[in-house]
Amino acid sequence: MSKTLFDKVWDSHVVRKIEGGPDVFFIDRHFIHEVTSPVAFLGLKSRGLSVLYPERTFATADHNTPTINQHLPVEDPLSANQLKALEDNSNEYGISHWGLGHQKNGIVHVVGPENGITFPGATIVCGDSHTSTHGAFGAIAFGIGTSEVEMVLSTQCIMQPKPKKMRINVNGNLSKGVTPKDVALYIISQLTTSGATGYFVEYAGDVFENMTMEGRMTVCNLSIEMGARGGMIAPDETTFAYLKGKPLSLKGDAWDKAVAYWKTLKTDADATFDKELTFNASDIEPMITYGTNPGMGMGISKHIPNAEAVEGGVATYKKSLEYMGYHEDDAMIGKPVDYVFLGSCTNGRIEDFRAFASIVKGRKKADNVTAWLVPGSHEVEALIKEEGILDIITKAGFELRQPGCSACLAMNDDKVPAGKYAVSTSNRNFEGRQGPGSRTLLASPLVAAAAAVTGVVTDPRDLL
Amino acid sequence: MAYDKFNILTSTAVPLPLENVDTDQIIPARFLKATKREGFGDNLFRDWRYNNDGSPKKDFILNNPIYSGKILVGGKNFGSGSSREHAAWAVYDYGFRCVVSSFFADIFRNNCLNVGVLPVQVSAEFSEQIFNAIYDDPNTEIEINLPEQTITILSTGAKESFDINSYKKDNMLNGFDDIDYLQSMKSDIESFANGLLL
């Protein structure tokens, strides 16, 4: 029978099918971090259970870590306590731990791929909804809750009903200044934040085939923002080239054997999906959000839609605009910006810093803007220095911080103050996400750079 | 984690008719720093419930003494966003045992089922009926009958059935969780793992 890419990977990981219930689903790789794992370990202890396959779990500290002075003790006692718990639990159960200060430390969804932990055809989970990132490699990767973290630690399995399947095709060529982030924000704006709930997405078509792995990760990362559990892209030569030679990638014959198998991981020509959508690359322009969920986005040159023109409740829509301090019909170009955040598991990779640098080069940071430039990992940080990007951004008046999730969810001190506007390359513009009362405009690294040097929302195409 | 068994729940309900209520609103990230599962109910809907100085916001529904109960009735796409199970813990810890919505986000729904909160998905029309019934009379009781898989507005008699897979239903009725089940099939899991390439 014909199968989709998703079917092939899913079906090969089902240990048992329960009649009228979920599948018992085997997990190849499990990432843990300091925020969603402590209670899972407590659960293990209270039941007297061990970790079944510690070599399949990888711990990294990222969510609440500071992005300056990482060599000093963490000041916030609650954060310090969580970081200590991650370290202690990892040590106790024999799990590899890349804590604060470790050269491999960074955002879980950045360090996993760059170390070759992620691979095609794998099943990957983490107590973090942006685990969908790893789908870029043709893996089934999704976020889970803490109870499920405990299940994976103790049995390497979770119990999941198989989601429905959706394919999203984007064909044609992207215009100048349009990045993978814009593609994702465009799709989410078309589907709404719940448009893919219940589905697992496969991205297909020219645009994704021509994308780098960094770009594919950005797109798959944002799958959850349209409600999908995850999204994936069939592995190809771009995927294999990225993974080859990574520290934990297979070597020699084992590598060749794996690649031969990975090449079979594509949707069969006559396989069917529960839903299929097709978009044209030429319809996509640089995107920006104006509301309080990632579906409230539009082309940067457009005006904020009227409540009557959008799907969903008028009251919810108006509450959202009121929170943002915006009005129907407002243009976004020229809106004031107080903060710019470049980073996160969505856009904290080397390519994002290259894009940012391409605009700020030879320009100056606007005086009214506070900018936080936060690499996704020490490896990204090292490349920023090696490629001369640090020189460019320093000359333009920016500083580089240290790796972590940072202002994406503001668990550390990187908080946008109440009422202030932040153009952010992260993934969520929910109320208070970047700090109580903060107002977030989601956008690409190019749009963030354009805002950082002009101090207002600016079309990056004018500066390229 | 053990939770109370769920059978038939009859209670008044708290209406929250907003759409796309995300888990950052249910519990903001800065309250996720505990290493134990305790006290999350205090911070349920923290930034909608309290001012910066900690005083209650009078116009938020949880601060209105007219509305109370063990059932939270939310708008469409309830629980979107972050996978934090803390959101489901906060709902449970506050005292809710059931969340009703015309549409749930996947991970939140899963997390609820794992911690003993029953997510009941109803039609958009029935959701409207519930909101209207509560606004007409805040003392209106709603019956959630898990064995029969029905939800009834007792004042009007309006009733609808809801879906839940038989495995999860059995777990909720008995207070079991998935770890109990998975532990019982460990040898199957080990032989499966032995056959894997990577």
Side-chain angles (χ1 to χ4, degrees):
Chain A
M1 205 186 115
S2 308
K3 286 187 167 192
T4 66
L5 163 63
F6 175 73
D7 290 326
K8 289 178 187 180
V9 182
W10 183 279
D11 296 350
S12 64
H13 287 83
V14 174
V15 181
R16 182 187 289 177
K17 278 190 162 325
I18 298 172
E19 200 63 38
D23 290 344
V24 177
F25 191 63
F26 190 87
I27 302 303
D28 292 316
R29 295 291 181 267
H30 179 210
F31 294 104
I32 56 173
H33 61 81
E34 73 276 22
V35 175
T36 57
S37 68
V39 173
F41 283 105
L42 277 187
L44 284 188
K45 281 168 194 157
S46 73
R47 292 173 201 251
L49 297 173
S50 59
V51 174
L52 184 59
Y53 296 118
E55 68 278 14
R56 291 180 183 274
T57 293
F58 299 81
T60 185
D62 57 4
H63 275 60
N64 67 24
T65 52
T67 55
I68 48 167
N69 295 326
Q70 290 187 346
H71 61 290
L72 299 176
V74 174
E75 278 178 31
D76 172 17
L78 291 174
S79 295
N81 192 36
Q82 279 193 327
L83 295 169
K84 178 84 168 45
L86 184 70
E87 183 177 2
D88 290 348
N89 287 324
S90 299
N91 290 342
E92 182 176 346
Y93 293 98
I95 294 165
S96 91
H97 171 248
W98 297 343
L100 199 59
H102 192 288
Q103 69 171 70
K104 289 193 181 292
N105 176 255
I107 303 174
V108 51
H109 310 309
V110 177
V111 299
E114 76 188 10
N115 282 286
I117 298 169
T118 306
F119 61 89
T123 52
I124 300 173
V125 295
C126 174
D128 186 286
S129 60
H130 294 108
T131 307
S132 59
T133 310
H134 308 264
F137 293 81
I140 290 182
F142 55 88
I144 57 174
T146 297
S147 295
E148 291 166 313
V149 172
E150 188 182 338
M151 292 174 212
V152 179
L153 289 170
S154 60
T155 68
Q156 208 60 39
C157 287
I158 52 171
M159 309 193 60
Q160 290 288 308
K162 188 175 179 181
K164 290 183 284 187
K165 293 166 284 180
M166 180 188 292
R167 182 159 60 188
I168 296 176
N169 308 287
V170 184
N171 293 313
N173 293 309
L174 295 174
S175 316
K176 183 178 149 191
V178 178
T179 70
K181 178 67 165 286
D182 301 302
V183 175
L185 287 176
Y186 175 81
I187 296 170
I188 301 163
S189 75
Q190 300 297 303
L191 269 78
T192 78
T193 50
S194 58
T197 303
Y199 292 90
F200 211 97
V201 173
E202 179 179 342
Y203 299 97
D206 314 333
V207 164
F208 306 110
E209 284 167 24
N210 295 332
M211 234 176 231
T212 61
M213 288 316 296
E214 284 84 356
R216 293 179 189 181
M217 283 190 257
T218 299
V219 170
C220 289
N221 171 281
L222 290 163
S223 302
I224 180 72
E225 307 309 337
M226 51 184 170
R229 201 65 188 275
M232 64 201 303
I233 295 171
D236 59 10
E237 292 303 328
T238 306
T239 321
F240 310 143
Y242 178 97
L243 285 176
K244 190 163 189 179
K246 294 283 188 236
L248 295 172
S249 286
L250 293 169
K251 314 262 179 311
D253 286 351
W255 168 264
D256 295 338
K257 203 172 152 191
V259 170
Y261 167 61
W262 295 342
K263 285 181 174 170
T264 69
L265 295 176
K266 52 182 73 156
T267 293
D268 296 332
D270 46 354
T272 55
F273 290 81
D274 299 291
K275 195 167 183 178
E276 181 143 20
L277 298 168
T278 300
F279 300 105
N280 293 320
S282 56
D283 291 340
I284 307 174
E285 63 167 331
M287 297 286 292
I288 195 153
T289 65
Y290 54 86
T292 56
N293 71 57
M296 298 174 76
M298 62 181 187
I300 195 163
S301 65
K302 297 200 165 60
H303 291 235
I304 296 175
N306 289 306
E308 288 70 28
V310 298
E311 206 181 305
V314 170
T316 303
Y317 185 78
K318 292 201 164 167
K319 179 179 183 291
S320 177
L321 290 191
E322 192 186 322
Y323 180 87
M324 292 300 293
Y326 291 157
H327 305 92
E328 293 158 84
D329 292 326
D330 281 2
M332 285 305 290
I333 297 283
K335 289 276 191 200
V337 173
D338 307 298
Y339 284 75
V340 167
F341 173 53
L342 173 67
S344 84
C345 59
T346 311
N347 281 126
R349 297 184 181 79
I350 186 61
E351 206 164 81
D352 304 312
F353 281 81
R354 287 180 195 141
F356 190 90
S358 74
I359 286 202
V360 305
K361 187 175 186 176
R363 296 190 168 94
K364 285 282 177 199
K365 183 182 79 65
D367 290 337
N368 62 307
V369 167
T370 302
W372 292 323
L373 277 50
V374 184
S377 68
H378 285 301
E379 187 167 319
V380 174
E381 187 182 25
L383 285 170
I384 288 169
K385 292 174 183 167
E386 204 177 298
E387 295 186 10
I389 294 171
L390 183 61
D391 287 342
I392 295 170
I393 58 177
T394 307
K395 278 184 189 136
F398 296 92
E399 287 167 30
L400 186 67
R401 298 175 80 91
Q402 291 172 298
C405 297
S406 181
C408 172
L409 81 171
M411 281 193 77
N412 64 2
D413 289 339
D414 307 343
K415 290 179 172 58
V416 175
K420 298 293 184 189
Y421 292 96
V423 172
S424 178
T425 66
S426 57
N427 41 59
R428 290 187 174 133
N429 50 352
F430 297 150
E431 284 184 33
R433 169 84 177 181
Q434 298 195 281
S438 61
R439 293 156 158 172
T440 302
L441 315 179
L442 297 177
S444 74
L446 291 178
V447 172
V453 294
T454 61
V456 295
V457 174
T458 300
D459 192 327
R461 292 170 294 193
D462 297 342
L463 304 183
L464 282 171
Chain B
M1 188 99 175
Y3 54 83
D4 293 342
K5 294 176 186 179
F6 196 111
N7 198 287
I8 296 171
L9 172 68
T10 305
S11 171
T12 51
V14 178
L16 186 65
L18 289 170
E19 296 181 14
N20 305 319
V21 172
D22 59 77
T23 53
D24 274 84
Q25 307 317 312
I26 298 175
I27 188 155
R30 64 187 189 279
F31 298 110
L32 308 183
K33 292 190 180 181
T35 50
K36 291 184 178 147
R37 192 186 146 180
E38 282 170 6
F40 288 103
D42 295 343
N43 295 316
L44 176 69
F45 292 116
R46 176 76 198 200
D47 292 338
W48 286 353
R49 204 166 137 202
Y50 298 105
N51 293 306
N52 288 345
D53 62 7
S55 61
K57 288 185 178 175
K58 288 204 176 67
D59 57 351
F60 186 59
I61 200 79
L62 292 188
N63 296 324
N64 186 339
I66 295 173
Y67 301 101
S68 64
K70 294 185 173 182
I71 301 169
L72 176 65
V73 188
K76 189 185 163 204
N77 195 27
F78 194 88
S80 56
S82 156
S83 62
R84 61 190 69 168
E85 194 166 298
H86 311 65
W89 298 340
V91 167
Y92 185 93
D93 191 49
Y94 183 86
F96 291 117
R97 290 294 171 271
C98 173
V99 182
V100 179
S101 167
S102 62
F103 196 84
F104 285 98
D106 276 337
I107 304 180
F108 179 76
R109 179 207 300 264
N110 238 359
N111 286 342
C112 281
L113 286 165
N114 284 334
V115 305
V117 174
L118 182 67
V120 171
Q121 186 160 322
V122 297
S123 65
E125 296 73 29
F126 198 78
S127 169
E128 274 304 307
Q129 288 183 40
I130 300 174
F131 285 128
N132 290 335
I134 301 171
Y135 289 132
D136 283 350
D137 176 8
N139 295 318
T140 293
E141 287 194 311
I142 305 212
E143 183 197 87
I144 313 286
N145 186 321
L146 179 58
E148 298 289 326
Q149 295 178 223
T150 56
I151 172 170
T152 309
I153 306 169
L154 294 181
S155 58
T156 64
K159 189 186 219 176
E160 196 169 90
S161 54
F162 62 86
D163 282 337
I164 179 169
N165 76 53
S166 55
Y167 166 83
K168 281 288 182 193
K169 177 178 174 179
D170 207 44
N171 271 1
M172 291 286 288
L173 287 170
N174 294 295
F176 293 159
D177 66 20
D178 289 348
I179 294 189
D180 301 326
Y181 184 94
L182 289 170
Q183 283 297 325
S184 75
M185 57 174 291
K186 222 163 175 175
S187 60
D188 284 12
I189 295 171
E190 284 168 329
S191 31
F192 182 89
N194 289 337
L196 289 171
L197 193 68
L198 275 165

